[in-house]
Amino acid sequence: MIVTEDEDLLDDLLRLCAAAGVEPEVTYGPPTSPGSWEAAPLVLVGDDRSAALRGMQRRSGVLLIGRDLDDQDVWRRAVGIGADHVLFLPDAETWLVDRIADAAEGVGEPALTIGVVGGRGGAGASTLACALAVTAARGGRRTMLIDGDPLGGGLDVLLGGERSAGLRWPDLAESQGRVSSGALEESLPRLHDLSVLSWDRGDSVVITPEAMRSVLGAARRRGGVVVVDLPRRVDDSVVEALSQIDIGLVVVPAELRAVAAADRVASRIGMILPDLRVVARGPYPSGLDDQEIARLLRLRLAGELPPEQGLLEAVNGGRPPGGNGRGPLARFCTAFLAEALPSGGSVAV
């Protein structure tokens, strides 16, 4: 809701609402519609109408918009209407667009965001990332799987959806600013009850840090669970992704060379992501088990993945990793998510 009689201010606020994808209600004084003041998720009050709103029912989400930075009395007027913040345009435009969009989207708890990376090539990180996402979706949680590795072959292929309609990374590679979380979810391929952002089969494109920030931020605001399949190299886009990840899992086969390679990967990623854990993948040679791998890497052990018969055949047959809810991979994912998700979860759908 916008409350102002200042035509120039109204034009500015309407422009900012349009940038956030919102069509506001406009009134020039105290709202005449019963309950509209209380029901609006956000109220933008021009300083020109602050005196007219004194005595209105106190509520959160009221912002007083001023023009004159030197007007010290604006703070007293803000207290008079119970405003949460005082903003001055144009300086606060970017912040205000984000706040308007948040109110329109009904932002709640951000998604639990899990990053998965291989300690070496072929470690099985993409398989684990898919299985985590499939397990979360099977549990009734809003889930998004993001393929952050342009050289990984495409997670949509692993899920049997390379021909499914929807946007891929090349369509979003130059995204800047705020991306609508609802529009992002609706535009992506829907596979096995989860949304998937992967690559197309064309030439590789460069994902800018700004695009990664915008897309991953939108995914997190939607709530539920977000799983990101990460490359082993760390560039600016990966740094941006790591800054938004809650828990990282590095998958390490039980081989000394794999442990050595994983140590280099973990040292780079651990500089940005503090909660990095190891997933040990068997079979184990003599003298090297999951506990020893975690000790050598100086990381917390998230668990182990014993060999799973029939996994490759199932994937080749169009069944997603962890899709049947049985076997070591599915059991690991179920146990990990049960521990990692906050009490009651983030957003269940």
Side-chain angles (χ1 to χ4, degrees), residues 265-328:
V265 173
S267 64
R268 292 193 295 268
I269 291 178
M271 293 174 64
I272 307 161
L273 176 59
D275 191 351
L276 183 62
R277 310 177 191 182
V278 62
V279 179
R281 207 191 80 196
Y284 301 105
S286 177
L288 188 63
D289 59 14
D290 55 348
Q291 298 287 343
E292 180 65 7
I293 291 172
R295 187 191 68 80
L296 291 171
L297 294 175
R298 302 171 300 282
L299 294 176
R300 175 180 171 183
L301 180 64
E304 63 168 335
L305 289 176
E308 184 165 341
Q309 292 185 348
L311 178 60
L312 180 60
E313 292 78 4
V315 172
N316 290 337
R319 297 186 296 278
N324 62 7
R326 301 185 299 275

Side-chain angles (χ1 to χ4, degrees), residues 30-293:
T32 57
S33 301
S36 60
W37 171 264
E38 296 82 0
L42 190 68
V43 180
L44 310 179
V45 179
D47 191 25
D48 63 298
R49 300 306 294 157
S50 57
L53 295 179
R54 290 182 65 91
M56 292 292 294
Q57 179 179 334
R58 296 301 177 102
R59 50 151 296 169
S60 61
V62 175
L63 309 180
L64 183 63
I65 315 299
R67 292 285 198 182
D68 186 359
L69 286 167
D70 296 324
D71 182 4
Q72 297 299 315
D73 284 341
V74 70
W75 307 102
R76 175 180 54 79
R77 294 192 292 274
V79 172
I81 64 172
D84 295 339
H85 298 279
V86 176
L87 309 178
F88 296 94
L89 302 183
D91 294 357
E93 285 191 355
T94 300
W95 185 91
L96 183 53
V97 169
D98 285 346
R99 184 66 185 271
I100 294 169
D102 281 346
E105 292 180 353
V107 172
E109 283 291 321
L112 170 69
T113 306
I114 306 163
V116 186
V117 63
R120 65 153 170 79
S126 295
T127 298
L128 177 57
C130 288
L132 282 167
V134 168
T135 302
R138 189 174 59 246
R141 301 191 180 278
R142 179 180 288 119
T143 306
M144 188 175 295
L145 176 62
I146 296 178
D147 191 346
D149 186 357
L151 303 180
L155 295 184
D156 55 348
V157 176
L158 191 55
L159 293 173
E162 61 270 26
R163 290 185 171 84
S164 298
L167 298 184
R168 264 69 174 182
W169 263 122
D171 302 302
L172 300 165
E174 297 183 3
S175 299
Q176 294 185 7
R178 188 183 183 94
V179 173
S180 167
S181 59
L184 175 66
E185 184 178 45
E186 292 171 4
S187 68
L188 297 179
R190 189 79 178 165
L191 304 170
H192 307 288
D193 296 322
L194 59 100
S195 301
V196 181
L197 175 55
S198 189
W199 303 86
D200 62 11
R201 311 285 81 82
D203 294 336
S204 178
V205 298
V206 176
I207 305 302
T208 65
E210 292 79 11
M212 182 62 76
R213 181 183 309 118
S214 297
V215 170
L216 191 50
R220 283 172 54 81
R221 287 195 306 274
R222 198 64 172 163
V225 175
V226 174
V227 182
V228 186
D229 186 23
L230 295 165
R232 293 190 305 282
R233 74 183 192 291
V234 178
D235 59 18
D236 290 342
S237 293
V238 175
V239 169
E240 182 58 46
L242 290 171
S243 70
Q244 298 197 51
I245 287 172
D246 300 307
I247 302 173
L249 299 176
V250 55
V251 184
V252 184
E255 308 161 0
L256 287 177
R257 290 184 63 189
V259 174
D263 190 40
R264 292 191 293 271
V265 173
S267 64
R268 292 193 295 268
I269 291 178
M271 293 174 64
I272 307 161
L273 176 59
D275 191 351
L276 183 62
R277 310 177 191 182
V278 62
V279 179
R281 207 191 80 196
Y284 301 105
S286 177
L288 188 63
D289 59 14
D290 55 348
Q291 298 287 343
E292 180 65 7
I293 291 172

